[in-house]
Each structure stands twice: as structure tokens, then as C-alpha cells.
Amino acid sequence: MFKKIVLLSFLAFTLTSQVEAATRAQVCVRYEKTIVHGNPDYYNDPDYYNSIGELPPYTTKEMSKAYNVVGVLSTGRELNQVTHTSDYEYYRNYLIIFWDKGQASIIKANNNYSIAPDRGEVHYSWTDGIDERGVKWEFKDNKYNGICY
């Protein structure tokens, strides 16, 4: 955990100090969360639902409220160079959001054309990606509106 925080702090410092202004973008983001409904103890065998690959009947997934943030746009190649790793797909595009000291979400775009790091652009309609923890995210450009909904 400590290693991850140090890496994120290093990444935040390096990316924010080395990237051009064009690689930053005002975006709306939201993440997928699981909502638990009812009492899981009510069901006889909740593990049965997991074994057949479905969510138990007392949970649902929905998107969080949207947040208006400044994201850093990057390619996998750039992330690998900055972190001195090969953890990121070379030709993939990423959206990086720094929340607080040592906290960041690195979101790999599912559609590589939804982010253009070289032009500092993000697609104008909701598009999705996934972060390193497997959390699904949706994001869109917000440079003109200022309000996320």
C-alpha cells in the first residue's frame, strides 16, 4: 500500500510538472457503485447467486453522481515512461484524476478514440473506461458547460 501511495505521489508530481497544458481537460466523471437493498441474511443461500455468475437479488449497480474535475490525458507509453514500468498498455489512452495527496484514479478508455491526449480532448458524450481496481467509470468533456449531471 505504501509503495502504491509513493508511486501515485511521484506520478502526480511528475505528470503535473512535465505535461503540457494541452494534456489537461475539464471533464465530468462518474463511477459505478453497488447498492445493497434489503437484508442479505434473508436469502437462504446467497452464495448460489454468485456461483451462477449473477448479482445476488439484493444488490444493484448504478452510476454515482457526476463530478466536475480536471483530468490529465495520457497515453500508455507516457505513463510507462513516467512510472518506469510496463504496467500500462502502450497504445491505449488514459484519463488520470488526482483526488487528494496520494490518491488518483487511472482510467483506461475502452474506446481509444474517446480521448486525444495530443490535442487535450475528451469526447463530448458519456464514454466508459475501467480503472486499475476494476471499477467502471464514465466520462465526457465539460470545457464549456461547467455543470455535470
Side-chain angles (χ1 to χ4, degrees), residues 7-128:
L7 177 62
L8 287 175
S9 298
F10 173 74
L11 182 64
F13 173 76
T14 306
L15 281 176
T16 54
S17 62
Q18 290 184 359
V19 295
E20 300 172 18
T23 60
R24 294 189 178 113
Q26 192 74 30
V27 293
C28 290
V29 296
R30 56 189 181 191
Y31 62 92
E32 186 177 67
K33 59 184 182 176
T34 301
I35 307 297
V36 178
H37 303 278
N39 183 354
D41 296 333
Y42 174 77
Y43 301 97
N44 292 333
D45 188 8
D47 290 333
Y48 167 76
Y49 296 102
N50 292 330
S51 69
I52 60 174
E54 295 179 3
L55 289 173
Y58 51 87
T59 63
T60 58
K61 293 199 177 261
E62 63 182 50
M63 297 310 286
S64 71
K65 74 174 190 169
Y67 297 91
N68 183 14
V69 298
V70 174
V72 175
L73 311 179
S74 182
T75 64
R77 179 184 60 80
E78 293 168 334
L79 282 172
N80 286 333
Q81 286 175 342
V82 168
T83 60
H84 303 289
T85 67
S86 58
D87 293 344
Y88 305 97
E89 292 182 38
Y90 192 84
Y91 291 107
R92 277 286 179 190
N93 291 330
Y94 292 82
L95 171 64
I96 304 149
I97 303 161
F98 296 102
W99 300 105
D100 200 2
K101 283 191 173 188
Q103 294 181 344
S105 298
I106 302 174
I107 304 163
K108 178 174 65 173
N110 286 339
N111 178 347
N112 224 30
Y113 298 106
S114 60
I115 299 175
D118 56 333
R119 296 190 311 269
E121 294 179 359
V122 176
H123 199 270
Y124 63 88
S125 64
W126 288 110
T127 187
D128 62 346

